[in-house]
Amino acid sequence: MSSYEMLVDEIVSLMGMKGSYAGIEKLESMRREGDTNATTCLGELYLEGAGVIADTEMGISLLQEASEAGNPHADDTLGRVYLYGSYGVPEDKPRGHAYIEKAANAGIPESIGTCACDYYYGKGVTKDLEKGFEWALRGAKLGDPVSNALCGDAYQTGEGATRNIPLAIQHYREHLKSNSENTDVMCDLAICLADIGGEYGTFPSQDDLTEAFGLLGKAVEMGDVRAHCLLGIMYGDGNGVPQDFELSHHYIELAANNGFEPAQELLGRFRRTMRGKWTL
């Protein structure tokens, strides 16, 4: 845990025990002594209106003060404010990215993940798949879940990196350790494990197929439409499960009815047998 995170925990605890004023007073005192973590924390409280009356102008001013003094956590917060246009601040992606990359260069894992995405998807900066992937590798080594997901995407698609399905699986699994509710990553991991669609030419083990089926089942329970479609494909192909065109049609139809275009296309391939059963 960084010194900044420790301070945040301390202030939250103090405000809980003695009230908001005690926490604000301590931060103001530390700020006067030149503590940039305190200035950053104070700025964020003004943005959120936590313990003080919300004041975006004051919050931004305090964060800029901390940023100019070299605090990377202030850079990270300012970057996100401008990237996403938060707290009524006009969106300015190039300015936001500049703050994020400054924080990333200081080694803040979350900033590294955001910086990686900025380059990989061209947000606030010229799109550069390879540079985005390089940043993601740095973040993944620090355990950043966003970086792990992006590394998985790059290895799965071969965009920004040489396609490598085993490495994609590794990074997706790492992401899910800290973000177990991300159904997009569950679906991508399932595709890699089971080679759904047969694009990769791999030979999944029964353990891999079982894991993929479990991931999709969980994502389906959480309402993910792509997971419905993928589960339907597995049933239609008999991929790790007994082939069942009725279940295949059921799941694909649910995805199609919820606007998932690939499912709508697949649905048109089903035909009724003479006995009224679905087949492909």
Side-chain angles (χ1 to χ4, degrees):
M1 182 179 289
S2 69
S3 59
Y4 173 74
E5 292 168 326
M6 290 171 63
L7 175 62
V8 171
D9 284 352
E10 179 185 349
I11 295 301
V12 169
S13 177
L14 180 60
M15 293 172 81
M17 292 188 295
K18 297 186 177 181
S20 300
Y21 180 78
I24 299 300
E25 185 177 45
K26 181 176 179 65
L27 289 174
E28 288 283 13
S29 174
M30 293 175 69
R31 177 193 172 208
R32 288 192 292 271
E33 295 173 1
D35 190 313
T36 62
N37 281 334
T39 306
T40 300
C41 187
L42 198 57
E44 292 179 345
L45 290 176
Y46 272 104
L47 287 181
E48 296 285 350
V52 292
I53 295 173
D55 187 332
T56 298
E57 186 176 348
M58 174 64 80
I60 294 295
S61 177
L62 287 165
L63 289 167
Q64 288 174 336
E65 177 186 321
S67 171
E68 289 166 6
N71 190 289
H73 296 284
D75 291 323
D76 180 75
T77 300
L78 284 168
R80 296 179 193 283
V81 167
Y82 287 113
L83 274 176
Y84 309 124
S86 306
Y87 307 106
V89 175
E91 183 180 287
D92 188 339
K93 290 191 182 299
R95 187 176 185 181
H97 172 80
Y99 278 116
I100 288 293
E101 187 157 5
K102 185 180 174 186
N105 278 315
I108 305 297
E110 297 82 3
S111 303
I112 293 173
T114 303
C115 186
C117 290
D118 285 352
Y119 276 111
Y120 200 79
Y121 300 110
K123 297 179 180 178
V125 68
T126 302
K127 185 174 182 176
D128 189 328
L129 294 172
E130 288 75 19
K131 194 167 186 176
F133 176 65
E134 289 171 6
W135 273 110
L137 282 176
R138 287 177 60 179
K141 289 177 181 177
L142 296 173
D144 176 60
V146 172
S147 296
N148 270 307
L150 196 151
C151 284
D153 289 345
Y155 281 128
Q156 181 184 10
T157 62
E159 296 182 358
T162 302
R163 174 174 278 177
N164 188 318
I165 299 305
L167 283 177
I169 290 171
Q170 176 183 319
H171 282 286
Y172 285 144
R173 282 173 171 161
E174 284 299 316
H175 172 91
L176 290 173
K177 286 179 181 178
S178 55
N179 195 358
S180 61
E181 304 268 301
N182 190 328
T183 57
D184 283 336
V185 171
M186 290 181 205
C187 289
D188 287 329
L189 177 53
I191 291 170
C192 290
L193 286 166
D195 193 12
I196 298 173
E199 181 181 352
Y200 311 132
T202 57
F203 299 94
S205 67
Q206 187 56 51
D207 286 344
D208 288 339
L209 293 170
T210 299
E211 183 180 351
F213 187 78
L215 287 164
L216 293 178
K218 181 178 179 180
V220 162
E221 290 176 359
M222 295 172 67
D224 189 280
V225 293
R226 182 162 68 124
H228 281 78
C229 183
L230 292 171
L231 198 58
I233 293 171
M234 287 190 76
Y235 274 116
D237 291 342
N239 187 8
V241 292
Q243 192 170 57
D244 188 324
F245 293 128
E246 293 294 317
L247 280 174
S248 177
H249 181 273
H250 169 72
Y251 283 111
I252 291 174
E253 184 177 44
L254 284 172
N257 289 342
N258 280 279
F260 190 60
E261 291 186 8
Q264 292 167 356
E265 180 183 342
L266 288 170
L267 199 60
R269 301 180 187 179
F270 283 87
R271 296 290 182 270
R272 288 282 192 185
T273 65
M274 293 180 66
R275 296 187 177 184
K277 299 291 186 180
W278 289 112
T279 188
L280 284 169

